[in-house]
Structure formats: C-alpha cells, structure tokens
Amino acid sequence: MEDSVRDVWLDCDPGHDDALAIILAGYDEVLNLLGVSTVAGNQVVEKVTLNALGTLTASGLSSVDVVQGQGRPLLRPPLLCPEIHGESGLEFAEGGSMQDYAIGSPVPGKAVNFMFERISAQYKKRGQPVCLVCTGALTNAALLLLVYPEVIPMIEIVLMGGCIGTGNTHAVAEFNIQTDPEAAKVVFEAGVQNLAMVPLEVTHTALATPAVMQRMMQRQTPFLQLMHKLLMFFAQTYKEVFSFEHPPLHDPLAVFFVACPSAFTVRKMRVDIETCSALSAGQTVCDMWSQSQQPINATVAMTVDVDKFWDSMIAAILKADMLSPLNVSIRDSLSTS
C-alpha cells in the first residue's frame, strides 16, 4: 500500500449523513477503511448498527467489519434524534429504511477491544498513525483512550462535532458533543497529538442542493435512486426542524478532512468542553484569541472548498453505484446485450 494512502477507522451513529460518510471512507482513493464501530446517537445503538450493515451492503462494501459500540453516554441518559433521522435512524422518502438492506451481523465482543486490536495491528504493520474519524458521540473514542492509553501515539482523531458559536440541538452546543460531553472532554484532553474538529460553521456550508442532486443522478439505477430517497427524507426533516432550504451534509466532511486536508482552512486553538453548566453542557468553548493561556489541543476547521468536497463525494457515490449489489440485474443485462 502506498504511503500516501491513509488508514481510517470510522466511529459513527449511522443516520443519513453518516451513511454518506461510510461511502466516502470506503471509496475515496486515498483512504483505506479498516472498520466501522457504532455508538448510540441518531438512534439507539442496535438500530444504528443495522443501518451501518445496511449501508455497507447496499454500497458494495460488505467486506468491511462492523462492531457495535456503546449504547449510552458515559454519565448521562441517551439523547436521540428521531425528528431528523426517523424511528429507524435512517429512513427514506417514500418509505423503507436502510435496515431493509442489512445482511450479516456485527463482529462479536466489545467495540473498544476490537478497535484497539485492528488499529494497533495496522499501526505496527505500516508505522503510520491510523485516523480515527468520529461522526457521532465520542463515547467509544473516550473509552478507547481510557482503556488503552497506549493507543494515543498510534492515532490521529478527526471529529465532526462542536460549534464555535450557535449550536443545532442546543443554543450553544452541537448534537454529537451535547450527547456525551464527558466523553468529549476525555478525548480533547487525552493528549492526542493531532486532533481536528470540523464544526457546524463548516458543515452548514456543504448543502445538498438540486444542482448537487442532479450531478449525483447520472444513472437511473436502484442504488442511486436509494441515495436520492435518502437525501429527500433528510431534506424534508431538516427543512421542518431547522428551516434549511437544502440539507447540510455534516459527517462526510470529517472523512473529507482526512482525504483532502488542503481543501480546508484551519486555526489551531484551545477547545474546552463544558460539562458542569445546566445551561450549556456540551458547548465547545473555542479560545479563538488565546485568552485562556491553556495549551492548544485542537485544529479547528474554519472553511472548506465546497466544490472539491462535492467532487469527492459524488465520485465515491458513483463508484459505489458501480459495485452495488442492488444493481446486479442491470449489470447482468448490460453484459449480455
């Protein structure tokens, strides 16, 4: 494997944008997806695990291992998001859900153990840090760092989460961090040398506009129609809840940060996680002007080249379309014609 290829472990709570993060991680030419772990967030962990299995199967990535992770935050009751992602956690316009495509079972055992085994083995094999990409609550990541502190030099972390100012499911907090603030605090203070945060201010610029949808629907295949129905459901709930005319694609941007860091502008700063306040638990306190005198612990994305992102995202979706088992009958007819 060429040195330019980045090994990635994806830790997620598969809802609509997580599904596209999985596809990007699995098909971007500079990424090597080692596995997927799931965590409660968009829905309960059993449902999001089925969503991960369904996404991998539908997109032709069924050889990628899935391990089911934590079903609740470290100290708090679960915080779910059915108003955005539906009762299954990943529903489609016109009915059905990603669970309909789930084949196989997650790897048995505790996620934190499997994550460490796979990450440490790959680190020893290649001598390069594995990038742990987190697009849900940071519960699994925190436990990995606490149970296996020796993993710290073996990993870099990129997370979709947090905000510099206004939150989404809270006035000043973003959903993933709000779900498990204590886990986020562990991750930000663990001493991981390279930790990057892609906040709402950036993800809210990557909108699935009609022009984007038109680029994606280059062929009328079952898989691409499924992707269209996925985004249409997401668009409707985002418009109802947040009044967005077009839905933002949050989670794939964390994967894209690994694949193409030059597409982002960033600032290094101190980020602290509020865990005590009843008013602002889960707030990412971003010290933009270095006023706290605390050591810098994060690279925070400030902007992204949206066109480059969509080029990569659509290319990955079209690669998945070429290998999706949903399209077998179409490929068979083409090969015999």
Side-chain angles (χ1 to χ4, degrees):
M1 188 177 295
E2 297 181 3
D3 288 344
S4 59
V5 173
R6 294 298 314 275
D7 295 313
V8 169
W9 182 278
L10 183 58
D11 186 65
C12 56
D13 58 344
H16 294 77
D17 43 346
D18 295 90
L20 293 172
I22 289 172
I23 292 169
L24 184 58
Y27 283 106
D28 192 284
E29 61 186 8
V30 302
L31 301 179
N32 175 39
L33 181 58
L34 300 177
V36 174
S37 50
T38 60
V39 63
N42 288 325
Q43 256 299 347
V44 297
V45 71
E46 293 82 6
K47 290 183 178 181
V48 298
T49 301
L50 286 174
N51 290 338
L53 290 168
T55 300
L56 290 165
T57 299
S59 59
L61 294 167
S62 57
S63 62
V64 176
D65 287 323
V66 175
V67 61
Q68 181 170 299
Q70 292 303 112
R72 59 177 297 131
L74 295 180
L75 298 177
R76 298 172 187 259
L79 179 65
L80 305 178
C81 201
E83 68 275 16
I84 295 297
H85 300 283
E87 287 303 316
S88 73
L90 214 173
E91 298 187 1
F92 302 129
E94 303 173 21
S97 77
M98 192 62 82
Q99 293 177 21
D100 299 336
Y101 301 90
I103 295 177
S105 302
V107 175
K110 299 293 185 181
V112 65
N113 296 334
F114 190 73
M115 292 166 71
F116 176 73
E117 290 168 5
R118 186 63 61 87
I119 289 170
S120 60
Q122 191 70 2
Y123 177 77
K124 291 172 184 175
K125 177 181 177 181
R126 296 194 63 206
Q128 296 184 10
V130 171
C131 191
L132 175 59
V133 179
C134 301
T135 62
L138 295 175
T139 317
N140 290 336
L143 288 173
L144 176 67
L145 294 165
L146 291 171
V147 176
Y148 294 104
E150 61 268 37
V151 81
I152 292 175
M154 303 178 190
I155 61 172
E156 298 176 355
I157 294 177
V158 177
L159 62 99
M160 186 278 124
C163 55
I164 299 171
T166 304
N168 54 2
T169 53
H170 185 280
V172 293
E174 177 274 332
F175 177 74
N176 290 340
I177 308 298
Q178 182 192 6
T179 299
D180 197 343
E182 286 76 20
K185 186 175 181 68
V186 168
V187 171
F188 275 83
E189 297 184 6
V192 175
Q193 186 172 4
N194 291 311
L195 184 152
M197 175 178 119
V198 184
L200 289 177
E201 284 80 3
V202 174
T203 65
H204 278 169
T205 66
L207 304 177
T209 64
V212 166
M213 300 290 281
Q214 186 175 9
R215 287 183 62 192
M216 183 183 74
M217 295 302 295
Q218 295 184 16
R219 301 180 282 268
Q220 291 297 318
T221 64
F223 177 77
L224 290 181
Q225 289 170 358
L226 193 71
M227 292 296 100
H228 185 266
K229 290 192 290 184
L230 179 156
L231 285 170
M232 286 298 95
F233 183 92
F234 196 41
Q236 183 61 36
T237 58
Y238 236 89
K239 187 171 185 177
E240 291 173 354
V241 176
F242 294 116
S243 299
F244 272 61
E245 190 62 32
H246 310 297
L249 218 59
H250 303 284
D251 296 332
L253 284 168
V255 177
F256 185 58
F257 189 95
V258 185
C260 189
S262 63
F264 293 79
T265 62
V266 301
R267 287 183 64 170
K268 294 183 181 295
M269 67 183 74
R270 177 74 186 189
V271 178
D272 287 295
I273 311 299
E274 176 57 59
T275 60
C276 298
S277 171
L279 287 176
S280 57
Q283 182 179 12
T284 42
V285 182
C286 299
D287 188 10
M288 295 280 289
W289 315 121
S290 301
Q291 294 172 321
S292 70
Q293 304 302 311
Q294 294 296 310
I296 289 171
N297 62 350
T299 298
V300 178
M302 305 300 289
T303 66
V304 63
D305 186 324
V306 174
D307 290 337
K308 280 188 177 180
F309 164 69
W310 280 116
D311 287 346
S312 293
M313 187 71 254
I314 291 171
I317 290 171
L318 295 178
K319 287 180 183 177
D321 185 54
M322 297 299 294
L323 295 174
S324 172
L326 305 187
N327 301 341
V328 168
S329 60
I330 292 177
R331 287 197 294 271
D332 288 346
S333 64
L334 288 174
S335 65
T336 57
S337 60

